[in-house]
Amino acid sequence: MRVSPRLLQRAAKSIDKYALYVPQSGVFPKGFKVGAIASGVKKNGALDLGVIVNTNKSRLSSAAAVFTTNKFKAAPVLASKQVLEAVRGKGINAIVVNSGCANSVTGELGMADANEMVSLVNTQMGGTPNATLVMSTGVIGQRLQMDKITNGINKLFNENRFGAHFEDWLNITKSICTTDTFPKLISSKFKLPNGQEYTLTGMAKGAGMICPNMATLLGFIVTDLPIASTALNKMLHHATNRSFNCISVDGDMSTNDTICMIANGAIETQEVKEDSEAFEQVQEQITQFAQRLAQLVVRDGEGSTKFVTVNVQNSLTFDDAKIIAESISNSMLVKTALYGQDANWGRILCAIGYAKLDNLKSLDESKINVSFIATDDSEPRELKLVVNGVPNLNVDEERASQILALNDLEIKVDLGTGSETAQFWTCDLTREYVTINGDYRS
Amino acid sequence: MRVSPRLLQRAAKSIDKYALYVPQSGVFPKGFKVGAIASGVKKNGALDLGVIVNTNKSRLSSAAAVFTTNKFKAAPVLASKQVLEAVRGKGINAIVVNSGCANSVTGELGMADANEMVSLVNTQMGGTPNATLVMSTGVIGQRLQMDKITNGINKLFNENRFGAHFEDWLNITKSICTTDTFPKLISSKFKLPNGQEYTLTGMAKGAGMICPNMATLLGFIVTDLPIASTALNKMLHHATNRSFNCISVDGDMSTNDTICMIANGAIETQEVKEDSEAFEQVQEQITQFAQRLAQLVVRDGEGSTKFVTVNVQNSLTFDDAKIIAESISNSMLVKTALYGQDANWGRILCAIGYAKLDNLKSLDESKINVSFIATDDSEPRELKLVVNGVPNLNVDEERASQILALNDLEIKVDLGTGSETAQFWTCDLTREYVTINGDYRS
């Protein structure tokens, strides 16, 4: 394979991101072990198959997932949906995931392969059916090499290649990467209102779009907190709606996108239910955790040089705040202006103006305020571009240049029509993005 | 002003497009004259102000327009809407248009300026109110320099700088250009069912997005055919829905986008009404004419190297065919793959899958066919990528490379769920696009 100078440059750049965003240690929930292996599906011999196992037997686990809304759903998405529905989110004890082949647009044979992955893990776990979720990412339109996958799964279990140390969690995170320049692994301890501690660990893979892959997004969150399956399902949808569904690299959505979560209840405390005191607090903790994980995907956006928070405030409705944040975040003109470090309020207003709102009253042209916000400690933090619908024609250009030169910055839009807020995270559109997605053939 | 080597390269490229797409002569409808002048609003002394005048007094003219749906509408859009509504599309005898300043996000003062442009022309034309439409394109958030505009309009009339020759039409077309690399002017003669000839002339300006401009699209069509104003309105909406609303450069929509049409009835023939024999035929002729004009805008897409027709066939509904064609046309991954000359059916399926359909039955994964079509005479014309939902894994890579190397090509999607067809026209996303929109500051 010919490696272009640009890809080498990109590889060199990725070292910085690795140092910045990959932890050296972590905290991991009780009652989980993980294993990863190089099955041979990835041609370069890298890790490409992983299994997360719940070892806690004291309670039945809860699981939930949010799947792609793309009409073309990959076989593993359909298989995992079936499993989750069959057991109503209860008793899921494993997630098996492979990279290198997305098992998408593979028809009935692909469905059989996805189901076979589930069966192989179920068998290794003791034979209970519907206890395993399956995910795949990589090339689409190709069958899985089931001999390699089968050998890999059996080897993981038969040689007991599972562990619960930092390196084990880092390795399984690496095994789901495709074009990611760094593995996305985070973990934190949280407290319940009663003082009880619990742990969240999350892994994600980002929007890797090198031909003929698509921008598959996978995210896993595991916790040792006991959460009722209906409550978990509600929390994960809430969190995903405010995290993984609020990021924009290029606006495309793949056939394989999946965010899933298992709560195994390995710590001894009262189960969190929808009507329990802890529900709101845990939901908020999971949401913020999911945001951190989702933001790492944007930081690894292909070719990107900037991480931009689009903060739409004081909207009549949350949905409209989000629609406007999304419209700005996906606008090619806004994204190229960010790359060009140009305080282009016109492009931002334009993207706001063509957003397809649910309620036209969310937007009042005479009330809108648009600013850039510096994310470092420099002052003034806020640079006003549009004030009550009127462009600020005396923008301090020098200050604008300073803020736009930052790697991290915020676009604040105050709609002034209500009190709802939504955030999106986006990156700039660069020549490098076009190079990666246009020049490369696998 | 520093001129970058890239912009010079682009200027050099534009010479080819000029030779290819700018006519050397034309046919023009009876009873119209046009004038253009350099008012001084454009700093480089180029033509920036034009007026189209209807000189036919034998009938009351009909006019219709389709305006931007952006929530932020520029003052000239609001002013023209008011004029058209006041006279219900009857008796419009002039269009005044300026480039260099879009008179957008300029509040009440901007409205007064737009109305003043209308008044100035009305006065010069004899004093009838509501007889002039106004359009502006260029920088947003700045007031029009009304002294220059006023002088320009008065000079055009007082020195009678109007004419009806090819050069006059070419000059007014040039006067609406901003970042366009060539003026977009077309004209043709057509026949009615009864053999009567009539003429259509069209001018457009394209998606020029250099900071802080936005992608303003302006289009004018004039004809000497008598068409009832209600019929004209219906025809223009039909045509725009199948032409200017079916092009994608970057998916952004400006505050100033306007397509308008005047039919002055200068030829002696029966007026075309909604229930007349000629209606369908004229509507189809205008639609095809508008498509030719709209396609020129895509051909001048910033930084683009390819002109791609996205042809979605056999859909259950027209709307869904169009939604799918639009989703493919706007996908950054599809557009970069086209630039990279990559037969990436996965990205096309992906964009189809996330299109927000009105009727889910329009898309059946097992019936979909996707092909690339060569637009030259080479064989085989059709390269099948997906057949009845199954990817063709034995694609002739050599033939794929040949087709993808063409400047013009077609993506054909056969949904197999009905009989409706929609087309979109798009261009590739190139490094040059990012350069133009990211690096340049005015």
Side-chain angles (χ1 to χ4, degrees):
Chain A
M1 195 183 87
R2 191 180 63 86
V3 177
S4 78
R6 283 204 185 78
L7 284 170
L8 288 175
Q9 273 177 19
R10 180 161 162 75
K13 268 189 209 162
S14 74
I15 292 167
D16 292 333
K17 286 190 177 175
Y18 200 102
L20 275 169
Y21 303 119
V22 181
Q24 305 281 326
S25 64
V27 286
F28 303 103
K30 291 178 189 167
F32 285 101
K33 60 181 187 180
V34 293
I37 198 169
S39 75
V41 169
K42 270 189 188 162
K43 286 172 195 153
N44 63 359
L47 294 171
D48 58 10
L49 180 68
V51 180
I52 303 174
V53 170
N54 168 29
T55 59
N56 177 49
K57 306 290 176 200
S58 68
R59 301 183 200 240
L60 209 58
S61 75
S62 294
V66 180
F67 297 105
T68 182
T69 57
N70 196 302
K71 186 83 192 285
F72 297 98
K73 289 179 174 54
V77 168
L78 296 171
S80 293
K81 263 187 117 157
Q82 281 171 8
V83 169
L84 265 181
E85 282 166 12
V87 296
R88 297 186 182 182
K90 290 172 192 159
I92 303 291
N93 286 325
I95 303 169
V96 57
V97 56
N98 77 280
S99 59
C101 172
N103 192 9
S104 176
V105 199
T106 44
E108 287 175 21
L109 297 172
M111 270 310 293
D113 293 341
N115 287 328
E116 174 68 8
M117 285 178 74
V118 170
S119 287
L120 283 164
V121 176
N122 284 342
T123 301
Q124 288 282 3
M125 302 271 297
T128 311
N130 294 321
T132 301
L133 302 181
V134 57
M135 270 142 233
S136 301
T137 177
V139 179
I140 75 163
Q142 292 185 5
R143 290 280 305 279
L144 274 172
Q145 298 166 279
M146 280 306 291
D147 51 340
K148 292 178 178 169
I149 295 285
T150 304
N151 285 340
I153 290 172
N154 288 336
K155 205 166 180 179
L156 270 174
F157 281 94
N158 296 341
E159 299 179 6
N160 192 19
R161 297 202 183 194
F162 289 91
H165 292 105
F166 170 72
E167 289 70 24
D168 301 308
W169 287 94
L170 188 63
N171 278 339
I172 192 169
T173 310
K174 285 178 179 170
S175 79
I176 63 174
C177 290
T178 54
T179 56
D180 304 66
T181 66
F182 61 89
K184 293 154 194 77
L185 169 67
I186 60 173
S187 60
S188 288
K189 283 197 179 296
F190 294 92
K191 270 190 185 165
L192 296 181
N194 66 9
Q196 171 69 50
E197 275 199 336
Y198 73 99
T199 304
L200 290 175
T201 294
M203 293 147 277
K205 78 161 293 289
M209 294 157 289
I210 287 175
C211 158
N213 294 9
M214 298 191 300
T216 291
L217 179 73
L218 296 183
F220 309 93
I221 301 175
V222 288
T223 184
D224 44 18
L225 188 65
I227 307 175
S229 62
T230 50
L232 186 71
N233 192 49
K234 206 168 171 183
M235 286 174 181
L236 186 66
H237 278 81
H238 180 96
T240 303
N241 256 334
R242 287 157 180 80
S243 57
F244 291 101
N245 282 347
C246 295
I247 59 176
S248 161
V249 175
D250 54 18
D252 280 60
M253 179 205 291
S254 97
T255 53
N256 292 56
D257 293 350
T258 303
I259 310 298
C260 75
M261 184 163 176
I262 298 182
N264 70 358
I267 54 169
E268 281 303 321
T269 188
Q270 215 177 356
E271 188 177 60
V272 179
K273 294 181 177 152
E274 279 188 72
D275 56 1
S276 66
E277 189 202 349
F279 179 84
E280 292 288 339
Q281 184 175 326
V282 172
Q283 177 168 272
E284 184 56 28
Q285 288 164 339
I286 290 173
T287 300
Q288 290 189 15
F289 187 80
Q291 287 174 345
R292 279 172 57 201
L293 197 53
Q295 286 168 14
L296 287 179
V297 174
V298 179
R299 293 206 181 271
D300 204 9
E302 287 182 337
S304 71
T305 66
K306 289 197 186 302
F307 175 85
V308 183
T309 301
V310 178
N311 194 354
V312 179
Q313 301 180 337
N314 297 320
S315 171
L316 193 62
T317 69
F318 169 75
D319 283 350
D320 284 336
K322 193 172 164 187
I323 288 165
I324 287 174
E326 182 173 13
S327 186
I328 296 168
S329 298
N330 281 338
S331 161
M332 280 170 60
L333 287 177
V334 170
K335 287 163 85 82
T336 47
L338 289 167
Y339 175 55
Q341 306 192 1
D342 182 1
N344 199 316
W345 56 267
R347 294 182 184 179
I348 297 170
L349 279 190
C350 178
I352 294 169
Y354 64 69
K356 286 174 183 156
L357 299 179
D358 280 339
N359 185 338
L360 293 180
K361 289 183 184 162
S362 296
L363 181 58
D364 178 335
E365 295 90 320
S366 69
K367 289 183 178 165
I368 195 164
N369 282 263
V370 179
S371 304
F372 278 124
I373 310 280
T375 52
D376 59 358
D377 294 332
S378 62
E379 293 288 343
R381 273 191 77 230
E382 182 165 4
L383 184 78
K384 294 185 178 190
L385 302 174
V386 176
V387 180
N388 298 327
V390 179
N392 173 10
L393 297 181
N394 300 313
V395 167
D396 179 345
E397 288 285 342
E398 199 180 326
R399 182 63 187 142
S401 301
Q402 286 166 1
I403 293 179
L404 284 157
L406 296 172
N407 288 332
D408 280 32
L409 59 108
E410 179 183 328
I411 297 172
K412 187 177 93 175
V413 176
D414 189 325
L415 295 175
T417 57
S419 59
E420 295 289 333
T421 293
Q423 290 188 313
F424 242 75
W425 295 276
T426 189
C427 55
D428 54 346
L429 172 60
T430 68
R431 279 188 289 267
E432 190 66 16
Y433 172 88
V434 179
T435 301
I436 295 168
N437 286 292
D439 287 4
Y440 192 103
R441 291 207 71 177
S442 65
Chain B
M1 195 181 86
R2 189 180 65 86
V3 176
S4 77
R6 284 204 185 79
L7 284 170
L8 287 176
Q9 272 176 17
R10 181 160 161 77
K13 269 191 210 160
S14 76
I15 293 167
D16 292 333
K17 286 190 177 175
Y18 200 102
L20 275 169
Y21 303 120
V22 182
Q24 306 282 326
S25 65
V27 287
F28 303 104
K30 291 178 189 169
F32 286 101
K33 60 181 187 181
V34 293
I37 198 169
S39 76
V41 169
K42 270 187 189 164
K43 287 171 192 154
N44 62 358
L47 294 171
D48 57 12
L49 180 68
V51 180
I52 303 175
V53 169
N54 168 30
T55 59
N56 178 49
K57 307 289 178 203
S58 69
R59 302 185 200 238
L60 210 57
S61 75
S62 294
V66 179
F67 297 105
T68 182
T69 58
N70 196 303
K71 186 84 192 284
F72 298 97
K73 289 179 173 54
V77 168
L78 296 171
S80 292
K81 263 187 117 158
Q82 281 170 9
V83 169
L84 264 181
E85 282 165 12
V87 296
R88 296 187 184 183
K90 290 173 193 160
I92 302 291
N93 286 324
I95 302 170
V96 57
V97 56
N98 77 279
S99 58
C101 172
N103 191 10
S104 176
V105 199
T106 45
E108 287 176 21
L109 297 171
M111 271 309 293
D113 293 341
N115 287 328
E116 175 68 9
M117 284 177 74
V118 170
S119 287
L120 284 164
V121 177
N122 283 343
T123 303
Q124 287 283 2
M125 301 273 296
T128 311
N130 296 318
T132 300
L133 302 181
V134 57
M135 270 142 235
S136 299
T137 177
V139 179
I140 75 164
Q142 293 185 6
R143 291 279 305 279
L144 273 171
Q145 298 167 280
M146 281 306 291
D147 52 339
K148 292 178 179 169
I149 296 285
T150 304
N151 285 340
I153 290 172
N154 289 336
K155 205 167 180 179
L156 270 173
F157 281 94
N158 296 342
E159 298 179 7
N160 192 19
R161 296 200 182 196
F162 289 90
H165 293 105
F166 171 73
E167 288 70 24
D168 302 306
W169 288 94
L170 188 63
N171 278 339
I172 191 168
T173 310
K174 286 178 179 171
S175 79
I176 62 173
C177 289
T178 54
T179 56
D180 304 67
T181 66
F182 60 88
K184 293 152 194 78
L185 170 67
I186 59 173
S187 59
S188 288
K189 284 197 179 297
F190 294 91
K191 270 190 185 166
L192 296 181
N194 66 8
Q196 172 69 50
E197 274 199 336
Y198 73 99
T199 303
L200 290 175
T201 293
M203 293 147 279
K205 77 160 292 289
M209 294 156 289
I210 287 174
C211 158
N213 294 11
M214 297 191 299
T216 291
L217 179 74
L218 296 182
F220 310 93
I221 301 174
V222 289
T223 182
D224 44 18
L225 188 65
I227 307 176
S229 61
T230 50
L232 185 71
N233 192 50
K234 205 169 171 181
M235 285 174 181
L236 186 65
H237 278 81
H238 179 96
T240 302
N241 258 332
R242 286 157 181 80
S243 58
F244 291 101
N245 283 345
C246 294
I247 59 176
S248 161
V249 174
D250 53 19
D252 280 59
M253 179 205 290
S254 98
T255 53
N256 292 55
D257 293 350
T258 303
I259 310 298
C260 75
M261 184 162 177
I262 297 182
N264 70 357
I267 54 170
E268 280 303 320
T269 187
Q270 214 176 357
E271 187 177 60
V272 179
K273 294 180 179 154
E274 280 188 71
D275 56 1
S276 66
E277 188 202 350
F279 179 84
E280 291 289 340
Q281 183 174 326
V282 172
Q283 177 168 272
E284 184 55 26
Q285 288 165 339
I286 291 172
T287 299
Q288 290 188 16
F289 187 79
Q291 287 174 345
R292 279 172 57 200
L293 197 54
Q295 287 167 14
L296 287 179
V297 174
V298 179
R299 293 206 180 271
D300 203 10
E302 287 182 338
S304 71
T305 65
K306 291 200 184 299
F307 176 82
V308 183
T309 301
V310 178
N311 195 352
V312 178
Q313 301 180 338
N314 296 319
S315 170
L316 193 62
T317 70
F318 169 74
D319 284 348
D320 285 335
K322 193 173 165 187
I323 288 166
I324 287 175
E326 182 173 15
S327 185
I328 296 169
S329 298
N330 281 339
S331 161
M332 280 171 60
L333 288 177
V334 171
K335 287 163 84 86
T336 47
L338 289 167
Y339 176 54
Q341 307 193 1
D342 182 1
N344 200 317
W345 54 267
R347 294 182 183 177
I348 298 170
L349 279 190
C350 179
I352 295 169
Y354 64 70
K356 287 176 182 154
L357 300 180
D358 281 339
N359 185 339
L360 294 179
K361 288 183 184 161
S362 296
L363 181 57
D364 178 336
E365 296 91 321
S366 68
K367 288 183 178 165
I368 195 165
N369 283 264
V370 178
S371 304
F372 278 125
I373 309 280
T375 52
D376 59 358
D377 295 332
S378 61
E379 293 287 346
R381 274 190 77 229
E382 182 165 4
L383 183 78
K384 294 187 177 187
L385 303 174
V386 176
V387 179
N388 298 327
V390 179
N392 173 10
L393 298 181
N394 300 312
V395 167
D396 178 345
E397 288 286 342
E398 198 180 327
R399 182 64 187 141
S401 301
Q402 286 167 1
I403 293 179
L404 283 157
L406 296 171
N407 288 332
D408 280 34
L409 59 109
E410 179 182 327
I411 297 172
K412 188 178 93 176
V413 175
D414 189 324
L415 295 176
T417 57
S419 58
E420 295 291 332
T421 293
Q423 290 188 311
F424 242 77
W425 296 275
T426 190
C427 55
D428 53 347
L429 171 60
T430 68
R431 279 188 288 266
E432 189 68 15
Y433 173 89
V434 179
T435 301
I436 295 167
N437 286 293
D439 288 4
Y440 193 103
R441 292 206 68 176
S442 66

